[in-house]
Amino acid sequence: MSESLIPKLGVVTDIRKDTPDVKTFRVVSPEGTKVFEHTPGQCAMISIPGVGEAMFSITSSPTNTEFMEFSVKKCGSLTEWLHQMEVGQQLTVRGPYGNGFPVDTTFKGQDLLFIAGGIGLAPLRSVINYVRDNRNDYGHVDIVYGARGMDDLVDYEEIIDEWCNDCGIDVHLTIDSEQEGWDGHVGFVPNYVKELNFDVNKTVIICGPPIMIKFTLAGLQELGFNKTQVYTTMELKMKCGIGKCGRCNIGNKYVCNDGPVFRCDELDELPNEY
């Protein structure tokens, strides 16, 4: 039996409230070590016995050797339970599942453009921090991130205190509409990407609501980007994680086995189900 199928006990050691409906949970083994290793972009199944289980992105970088983190948006019965948890309580974790982003191959030596909307930053945080921890392997990094309002920006303190102060990294934040106390850019992410008018010699990593991805991808193509330069993740389609339940089947692909990371031109070969 594959090791990734066996649930492992995890202890919640820290809970951070990122937004009104998103919390980030820090998890270790009962021995106080990392539960298992992963690559940026992979996911894990979190379960509360008797309540349910669901797939979540691992939002901490593999370069973090002490713990794993998961950013969870409250949107159902399991996430409701998770949001009621306290430090010291236990859950089970199994994984990792899926393929990760090609950080050690395709991305190496490239200028990178990360584009995220809302909770879509969570799956990209692992990749961004991996790149930050291996800074000499990559070129210039741009991060475009937007949400409905300033209170909905996930990992805001980390972005302002760390990412914005890193050499060779430019962060571009935006919110959907004017808000008191916000003096940054106002507007939707797809339009902001076009306004910024990036050089096309970049590899793009994008995650967010499907409608945001659709219009952002169209905007990137208007700027001259090719779909072969753009990567996204589709973990929302996964359920069992092992290609058995069929929920993530799209055409001849299983998102859990063949994804969740896909290059956007690969998605053109699949039926339009997402």
Side-chain angles (χ1 to χ4, degrees):
M1 189 181 216
S2 171
E3 187 72 16
S4 66
L5 300 182
I6 304 173
K8 296 178 173 62
L9 201 59
V11 180
V12 177
T13 60
D14 183 75
I15 301 172
R16 182 178 71 247
K17 187 173 183 178
D18 285 314
T19 77
D21 60 359
V22 175
K23 288 186 176 180
T24 295
F25 298 83
R26 185 171 295 178
V27 179
V28 301
S29 71
E31 295 74 35
T33 59
K34 197 170 175 180
V35 180
F36 50 75
E37 298 299 325
H38 72 286
T39 59
Q42 285 189 305
C43 306
M45 190 75 79
I46 294 180
S47 172
I48 298 179
V51 178
E53 64 177 2
M55 193 75 73
F56 297 96
S57 295
I58 304 169
T59 61
S60 53
S61 169
T63 50
N64 185 323
T65 59
E66 299 177 359
F67 54 80
M68 305 172 75
E69 287 188 328
F70 302 88
S71 294
V72 178
K73 184 181 179 72
K74 184 165 63 174
C75 58
S77 58
L78 175 64
T79 58
E80 181 78 39
W81 271 79
L82 286 169
H83 272 244
Q84 293 177 14
M85 291 189 78
E86 297 177 355
V87 169
Q89 290 186 293
Q90 297 179 336
L91 39 69
T92 66
V93 187
R94 60 181 173 96
Y97 293 117
N99 63 338
F101 289 94
V103 289
D104 295 323
T105 53
T106 307
F107 289 4
K108 266 199 171 179
Q110 298 296 309
D111 290 339
L112 302 176
L113 169 57
F114 293 92
I115 305 172
I119 190 62
L121 183 72
L124 301 192
R125 178 174 175 249
S126 175
V127 198
I128 291 169
N129 282 334
Y130 184 88
V131 169
R132 292 177 62 232
D133 290 335
N134 295 278
R135 198 65 197 88
N136 292 335
D137 291 338
Y138 306 93
H140 190 271
V141 175
D142 283 284
I143 302 168
V144 181
Y145 177 40
R148 288 172 299 181
M150 58 187 297
D151 293 336
D152 298 302
L153 292 166
V154 178
D155 300 310
Y156 184 69
E157 289 186 7
E158 180 178 6
I159 293 169
I160 297 300
D161 296 341
E162 299 181 31
W163 297 2
C164 287
N165 294 319
D166 278 6
C167 182
I169 296 181
D170 287 328
V171 179
H172 315 270
L173 300 178
T174 186
I175 60 174
D176 291 352
S177 54
E178 295 279 357
Q179 184 176 343
E180 186 177 346
W182 178 261
D183 58 2
H185 186 273
V186 175
F188 295 112
V189 168
N191 295 333
Y192 193 26
V193 169
K194 288 197 288 185
E195 283 178 38
L196 290 165
N197 194 26
F198 291 106
D199 185 280
V200 297
N201 296 316
K202 294 179 182 292
T203 297
V204 184
I205 305 95
I206 182 172
C207 187
I211 192 69
M212 186 218 86
I213 294 176
K214 176 182 178 180
F215 284 108
T216 302
L217 188 57
L220 288 169
Q221 289 180 285
E222 284 182 35
L223 294 175
F225 285 85
N226 192 291
K227 286 186 178 181
T228 58
Q229 297 171 255
V230 185
Y231 292 77
T232 190
T233 179
M234 299 175 65
E235 75 273 3
L236 284 176
K237 292 287 290 183
M238 295 196 291
K239 180 138 182 91
C240 74
I242 56 175
K244 298 299 182 184
C245 74
R247 182 176 184 268
C248 72
N249 172 241
I250 306 178
N252 64 348
K253 301 286 187 183
Y254 284 89
V255 174
C256 62
N257 290 335
D258 301 304
V261 173
F262 288 94
R263 208 174 59 199
C264 283
D265 64 302
E266 297 172 332
L267 298 180
D268 286 344
E269 302 171 5
L270 303 178
N272 186 23
E273 297 178 11
Y274 186 68

